[in-house]
């Protein structure tokens, strides 16, 4: 390969497009042509050029200039690009383009997807709780009972682990109803018990107190006097 060509390649600047834009450009409202046009804009604006040479972009993309302007209008309408009027140092009006709307739109998209994922995980977890309770109770939950479980998640914000531990407490006590579970959960909440570890610490503390009472009870028995009775 010609040395001059190699040198030209090495000196050429690189256009960096965030992977999140590449992965989500369809979700951001762009079609393939608009995305290629966006890359052309990045290659020009990211290197400090304040004005766009649309004829050069048209030549690069092999499209008529009229179609380039349509692509530009499409990005503005999709909220990907903004156009502002300003003045240069000579006082001449110039158009300035900004990618700020693109970044804001991408952030909103990612936040919405994250929230949707959390809701899906929450719904899955809630469904598993329904199934586990029905399995332990040996029957289907009524609509009223399902609403109560729903309130545990949405209003009381109990974790799945805490609800399952309350279920275990109810089963060990041979009480198969949600009102009893609700009473357990409310009691724990008043005591500041919110996690699985909190429940374990409570049980350990309760067990320690029980063992202490047993030991105290044994020590409280009156000693047996060792008396030798003479005949």
């Amino acid at each position: 390969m010609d040395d001059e060509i190699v040198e030209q390649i090495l000196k050429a600047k690189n256009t960096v497009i965030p992977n999140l834009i590449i992965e989500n450009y369809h979700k951001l409202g762009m079609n393939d042509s608009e995305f290629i046009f966006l890359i052309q804009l990045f290659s020009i604006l990211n290197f400090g050029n304040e004005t766009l040479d649309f004829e050069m972009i048209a030549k690069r993309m092999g499209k008529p200039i009229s179609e380039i302007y349509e692509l530009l209008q499409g990005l503005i309408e999709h909220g990907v690009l903004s156009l502002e009027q300003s003045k240069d140092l000579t006082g001449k009006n110039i158009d300035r383009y900004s990618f700020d709307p693109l970044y804001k739109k991408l952030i909103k998209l990612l936040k919405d997807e994250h929230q949707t994922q959390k809701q899906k995980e929450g719904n899955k977890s809630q469904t598993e709780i329904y199934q586990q309770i029905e399995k332990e109770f040996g029957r289907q939950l009524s609509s009223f009972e399902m609403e109560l479980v729903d309130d545990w998640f949405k209003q009381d914000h109990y974790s799945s682990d805490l609800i399952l531990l309350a279920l275990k407490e109810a089963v060990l006590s041979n009480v198969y109803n949600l009102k009893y579970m609700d009473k357990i959960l409310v009691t724990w909440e008043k005591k500041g018990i919110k996690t699985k570890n909190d429940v374990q610490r409570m049980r350990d503390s309760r067990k320690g107190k029980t063992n202490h009472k047993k030991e105290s009870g044994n020590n409280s028995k009156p000693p047996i006097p060792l008396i030798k009775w003479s005949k």
Side-chain angles (χ1 to χ4, degrees):
M1 185 180 292
D2 191 283
D3 290 343
E4 291 183 359
I5 297 177
V6 172
E7 184 179 357
Q8 184 179 357
I9 294 173
L10 293 175
K11 288 184 177 180
K13 294 180 179 179
N14 296 321
T15 299
V16 179
I17 305 292
N19 284 335
L20 287 173
I21 295 177
I22 297 173
E23 295 167 4
N24 295 286
Y25 74 91
H26 274 301
K27 294 179 182 178
L28 292 168
M30 289 179 279
N31 57 36
D32 293 348
S33 295
E34 288 170 336
F35 180 61
I36 297 299
F37 177 61
L38 180 73
I39 294 175
Q40 296 293 336
L41 297 182
F42 263 98
S43 71
I44 296 173
L45 297 177
N46 280 359
F47 294 119
N49 297 301
E50 294 185 348
T51 59
L52 295 174
D53 188 341
F54 292 110
E55 291 185 357
M56 179 185 67
I57 295 176
K59 185 177 180 181
R60 286 181 178 180
M61 296 183 64
K63 294 181 179 295
I65 190 68
S66 59
E67 189 170 338
I68 295 301
Y69 284 120
E70 289 178 3
L71 293 173
L72 175 65
Q73 187 62 33
L75 292 186
I76 294 174
E77 291 177 354
H78 295 327
V80 172
L81 193 69
S82 66
L83 170 62
E84 298 176 355
Q85 292 284 336
S86 63
K87 295 182 182 295
D88 61 13
L89 295 176
T90 64
K92 181 182 177 181
N93 289 328
I94 59 173
D95 293 334
R96 293 185 183 275
Y97 296 91
S98 172
F99 294 120
D100 287 349
L102 169 63
Y103 298 129
K104 290 179 181 179
K105 193 170 185 179
L106 180 61
I107 290 171
K108 184 179 184 305
L109 172 67
L110 296 176
K111 283 185 176 179
D112 289 345
E113 288 186 343
H114 179 67
Q115 185 63 31
T116 300
Q117 182 62 31
K118 285 182 65 177
Q119 289 176 350
K120 286 182 179 179
E121 291 174 357
N123 290 337
K124 180 182 178 182
S125 177
Q126 191 167 331
T127 301
E128 291 172 348
I129 294 295
Y130 290 142
Q131 294 172 346
Q132 189 63 31
I133 294 174
E134 289 179 339
K135 179 181 178 182
E136 294 293 344
F137 284 10
R139 60 176 177 79
Q140 289 186 335
L141 295 177
S142 67
S143 58
F144 174 78
E145 289 175 321
M146 294 181 74
E147 287 179 7
L148 179 57
V149 175
D150 190 59
D151 288 342
W152 288 344
F153 280 95
K154 295 181 179 178
Q155 294 184 15
D156 303 313
H157 304 292
Y158 296 139
S159 67
S160 299
D161 286 342
L162 204 64
I163 295 173
L164 288 176
L165 287 169
L167 173 62
K168 185 177 180 180
E169 291 275 334
V171 171
L172 289 174
S173 299
N174 290 318
V175 182
Y176 299 93
N177 66 69
L178 294 190
K179 288 184 178 180
Y180 186 76
M181 286 179 60
D182 188 63
K183 185 178 180 180
I184 293 172
L185 290 168
V186 170
T187 301
W188 286 350
E189 184 176 21
K190 290 179 179 179
K191 292 182 178 180
I193 296 172
K194 298 180 179 180
T195 67
K196 185 177 181 179
N197 290 334
D198 291 339
V199 174
Q200 187 59 48
R201 281 193 290 269
M202 178 195 66
R203 288 174 174 171
D204 291 342
S205 177
R206 185 189 301 167
K207 185 177 180 181
K209 289 179 180 179
T210 302
N211 291 336
H212 179 70
K213 286 181 179 179
K214 288 182 179 179
E215 292 175 1
S216 299
N218 292 333
N219 293 333
S220 64
K221 292 180 180 179
I224 300 175
L226 298 177
I227 303 174
K228 292 183 179 181
W229 296 94
S230 57
K231 295 182 180 179

